[in-house]
Amino acid sequence: MPAVHIHNTLTGELAEINPIAGAAGPVTFYTCGPTVYDDAHIGNFRSFLNADILRRTIELTGTPVRHVMNITDVGHMTDDTNADGAGEDKMAVAGRRLLEAKKSGKIHADVAIDANDPMAIADFYANRFLEDARLLGLKVAIEAQSDPSLMPRPTQWISQMLDMIKQLIERGHAYVASDGAVYFNVKSFADYGKLSGNTLENLREGEGGRISAQHQAAKKNPGDFMLWKPDPHHVLKWDSPYGAGYPGWHLECSAMAAGLLGAEIDIHSGGEDNIFPHHECEIAQSRCAHNKPSFARLWFHTRHLIVEGEKMSKSKGNFFTARDLFAKGVTPAALRLEITRTHYRTNANFTMQGLADCQRMIDRWSRAAEALQAKVAAGTPRLVGGDAHNSASAKNANVNANANANANANANTSANVNANANINTNACANINHNAPAGPFETALPRFTQALCEDLNMARAIAALNEAVAVEDNSACAHRELAALHKMDSVLGVLERNTQVATSGDSDFEAKVNALIEVRASARRNKDFAASDRARDELVSLGVQIKDGATGTTWTRAVRA
RNA sequence: GGCCGAGUACCCAAGUGGCCUAAGGGAACGGAUUGCAAAUCCGUGAUUCGUGGGUUCAAAUCCCACCUCGGCCUCCA
């Protein structure tokens, strides 16, 4: 198995992933998740899904991963000029927006939520986020259903944050300033700036226009950042030795990563905008509080997504949320592929055309999977040795394929296949070990290699596409299907290539099915004028029909 | 102003010194199929890599300048 190599923001070089826990893993991986004061947009999801692709790639090479992603339910400050201190909590702003959304009908008025309760707002959006994330195949969100600790929320970690502050003060890295707030002293940490390439000199005071003079005056150095803000009137506050208030937002990830993964971790990921200040500050806090030579060994940052060639930002309002797109009829699979297929360190250009391109690719892969499935079910593979072929094995084809996909890391040599056969004695009963490797088995090592080289998705996808274009009946369908599933274990699209149901679908479905029946009977009677009328009507309803060997199927056409 | 990325066909996008007269996908066009379509299948497609110089036997790839776009410089994935 090739080792995974990833560009490390901290060193600027390609680094091999060598788990702290040893070669057998697990790799400890922390991802900065969303702040749930609004629905996550596709740019957010690009960062989360790239982390998911990395995690699945590591798993593809046989190393388990312990992946943690926070859901931030503490409001970060919204007032730009007071980013280091006061300002309105985002949850309070979200509450107002919720009320407006209800008024305008964007959110059903009967959604029971108290817009004045920040925790209720956070819960509301966290649940919507988790729905979207699971639809998109974000593995950590799926795992969190059985182990919620994998997606921690900072409001549950306040005491650990206070412990860290205490440590930092005791070790001389933090101080209580004249304004009552606790700050981290950046001059006490020599490596401050190493991640972002910023030197304290280059961080010219106030250049971003977001530091208030009032707070600057209280700090020892202009670059010092807040660890605790006493504010007895804030919407969210906790007791502390420094007065009732709330923690500095960089602290939450440090505390949760340490608590759930360890004081030193293998990988930490986020969007490129997290590099500075968020991750720079995390490194400073974590290393100083825990007295360790490193925090995360490897920093993985995804560049931003642009939309139809233009910059996307919340303030401009030209962004899509995942659910916007699902409502238009975009499949989760197509969205997942569209926002992960471009290399994570380049700005990806999201387009509706690109979404359609991805859909066509996925549809073709799905057909290939179905064709292989059918061959497996039909017992097509030439059998070697004994009574392997029976109906039970055909019935289990699906299960078998998945079992193989998981166990069969490198199906290139017969030795490997035999090893797997021993593991899955029954499951592999009708595998033909003597058949030559088919196109998918041949593509798998190329696919894996491409991903191991800094997640080269384009090359991995090309390897798969080239395999799909080749028909090879001499290969064992079982093994071919396993190889295809193995590739999809990273891409994660085959399982979610269906449109998300919207409310009111059942009436619509009945109407569509009726029209399809009208058209079918008109065609049987060779009344083509009538059948074309029915077809036109279906098109105007936004329905796309496909005439297949077994009848007519339909999907909602994707609206622009 | 400082630091950091990127510009490859109509679109998305690999390739970072010779296997490049540039991968893969989509669009378009031609063919097969279809009552006609859609879907599907097959085929065609950049002598050229933002612009101008330079280095080299050899450049999309290295160097210099310029243009354009994006990110960070204490809200942001």
Side-chain angles (χ1 to χ4, degrees):
Chain A
M1 258 300 122
V4 181
H5 289 78
I6 293 293
H7 176 92
N8 185 355
T9 309
L10 188 59
T11 60
E13 289 169 354
L14 219 55
E16 182 178 329
I17 293 175
N18 283 316
I20 292 168
V27 169
T28 46
F29 187 177
Y30 185 93
T31 294
C32 282
T35 303
V36 284
Y37 65 105
D38 201 351
D39 288 326
H41 57 68
I42 55 176
N44 301 126
F45 274 114
R46 166 140 130 119
S47 149
F48 307 145
L49 288 177
N50 271 125
D52 187 65
I53 294 283
L54 171 56
R55 177 254 166 100
R56 287 166 178 257
T57 296
I58 296 167
E59 289 172 337
L60 177 70
T61 65
T63 309
V65 177
R66 181 165 161 76
H67 190 191
V68 167
M69 185 169 113
N70 62 295
I71 292 185
T72 296
D73 57 354
V74 192
H76 298 169
M77 300 311 107
T78 57
D79 186 340
D80 283 0
T81 57
N82 290 299
D84 55 349
E88 191 172 19
D89 191 283
K90 278 184 178 171
M91 292 303 157
V93 176
R96 282 210 313 275
R97 195 176 42 236
L98 257 176
L99 286 177
E100 282 162 23
K102 275 193 179 188
K103 258 188 223 161
S104 68
K106 211 173 163 191
I107 292 173
H108 280 289
D110 55 356
V111 171
I113 175 168
D114 180 356
N116 297 313
D117 177 357
M119 296 320 288
I121 294 163
D123 269 343
F124 175 78
Y125 283 115
N127 286 330
R128 286 163 70 94
F129 171 77
L130 288 169
E131 263 174 49
D132 293 347
R134 283 168 191 144
L135 284 167
L136 287 168
L138 190 67
K139 214 164 171 179
V140 66
I142 295 165
E143 287 177 332
Q145 286 179 297
S146 54
D147 182 0
S149 76
L150 296 174
M151 296 193 79
R153 304 195 187 187
T155 52
Q156 306 302 307
W157 287 77
I158 302 294
S159 70
Q160 289 88 339
M161 292 187 222
L162 284 167
D163 288 346
M164 279 187 77
I165 294 172
K166 186 163 169 261
Q167 281 289 329
L168 288 169
I169 291 175
E170 282 174 9
R171 292 180 198 271
H173 292 292
Y175 59 93
V176 180
S178 58
D179 61 359
V182 184
Y183 291 99
F184 184 93
N185 180 349
V186 291
K187 288 244 167 92
S188 75
F189 180 60
D191 282 346
Y192 190 80
K194 212 175 156 197
L195 180 74
S196 58
N198 287 325
T199 62
L200 290 172
E201 297 71 52
N202 281 346
L203 293 172
R204 288 205 276 153
E205 187 177 338
E207 198 53 63
R210 294 173 193 171
I211 300 174
S212 76
Q214 182 199 341
H215 289 94
Q216 285 306 84
K219 293 194 275 186
K220 286 185 180 169
N221 314 294
D224 290 354
F225 56 91
M226 196 184 75
L227 299 173
W228 188 265
K229 171 78 180 173
D231 181 354
H233 306 300
H234 200 75
V235 60
L236 281 167
K237 59 177 188 290
W238 293 266
D239 286 332
S240 88
Y242 326 102
Y246 54 90
W249 70 283
H250 305 304
L251 204 50
E252 53 187 70
C253 292
S254 285
M256 294 187 289
L260 292 166
L261 296 172
E264 285 182 284
I265 64 175
D266 289 306
I267 309 173
H268 192 131
S269 81
E272 61 176 320
D273 53 293
N274 280 151
I275 296 171
F276 191 89
H278 184 46
H279 290 165
E280 195 75 76
C281 295
E282 274 190 61
I283 291 172
Q285 292 160 351
S286 294
R287 282 183 51 190
C288 292
H290 302 128
N291 201 18
K292 293 280 185 186
S294 75
F295 171 37
R297 285 189 177 183
L298 189 143
W299 289 84
F300 174 84
H301 291 105
T302 296
R303 281 198 180 281
H304 281 182
L305 192 67
I306 57 175
V307 174
E308 305 284 355
E310 281 211 70
K311 180 183 166 181
M312 175 174 73
S313 73
K314 287 198 173 183
S315 54
K316 271 192 184 176
N318 67 336
F319 66 93
F320 294 105
T321 66
R323 46 218 301 143
D324 287 341
L325 292 166
F326 296 156
K328 286 175 191 286
V330 173
T331 63
L335 180 54
R336 182 178 162 98
L337 190 62
E338 168 69 357
I339 61 182
T340 55
R341 67 173 170 154
T342 304
H343 191 256
Y344 71 94
R345 275 189 295 114
T346 63
N347 290 110
N349 186 13
F350 173 90
T351 62
M352 292 308 281
Q353 176 65 52
L355 222 35
D357 295 355
C358 288
Q359 187 60 63
R360 287 179 83 104
M361 266 195 273
I362 295 162
D363 285 345
R364 193 190 298 142
W365 302 339
S366 292
R367 283 195 301 276
E370 279 160 25
L372 286 169
Q373 197 87 255
K375 279 190 194 175
V376 168
T380 309
R382 291 170 303 163
L383 305 172
V384 274
D387 56 348
H389 183 218
N390 57 49
S391 60
S393 67
K395 221 182 335 182
N396 288 329
N398 218 338
V399 176
N400 295 351
N402 288 329
N404 288 331
N406 290 332
N408 195 358
N410 185 348
N412 237 355
T413 65
S414 60
N416 276 332
V417 173
N418 286 333
N420 286 320
N422 291 337
I423 298 165
N424 299 308
T425 318
N426 293 320
C428 294
N430 62 0
I431 280 191
N432 181 350
H433 304 302
N434 294 330
F440 290 102
E441 275 189 332
T442 308
L444 178 57
R446 287 206 295 138
F447 178 93
T448 306
Q449 188 59 47
L451 289 178
C452 284
E453 289 172 19
D454 203 24
L455 299 187
N456 192 329
M457 282 289 276
R459 246 171 61 207
I461 290 167
L464 173 52
N465 277 327
E466 282 161 18
V468 172
V470 179
E471 174 127 20
D472 185 354
N473 287 314
S474 70
C476 169
H478 250 307
R479 283 164 40 201
E480 284 289 276
L481 187 60
L484 174 54
H485 277 293
K486 193 92 185 143
M487 291 187 262
D488 186 55
S489 72
V490 177
L491 298 174
V493 293
L494 292 181
E495 287 170 57
R496 45 199 120 253
N497 190 25
T498 47
Q499 293 177 319
V500 177
T502 57
S503 58
D505 262 8
S506 57
D507 288 354
F508 185 69
E509 253 173 64
K511 195 171 173 185
V512 169
N513 286 330
L515 275 168
I516 284 175
E517 187 42 48
V518 166
R519 174 168 173 268
S521 83
R523 291 182 74 205
R524 277 193 298 273
N525 298 327
K526 306 253 187 241
D527 183 355
F528 295 122
S531 75
D532 287 352
R533 268 199 309 278
R535 187 170 66 197
D536 289 346
E537 206 170 327
L538 284 163
V539 168
S540 71
L541 283 174
V543 167
Q544 194 168 52
I545 55 168
K546 289 182 194 174
D547 291 334
T550 55
T552 300
T553 58
W554 64 278
T555 51
R556 284 182 284 140
V558 174
R559 289 176 288 125

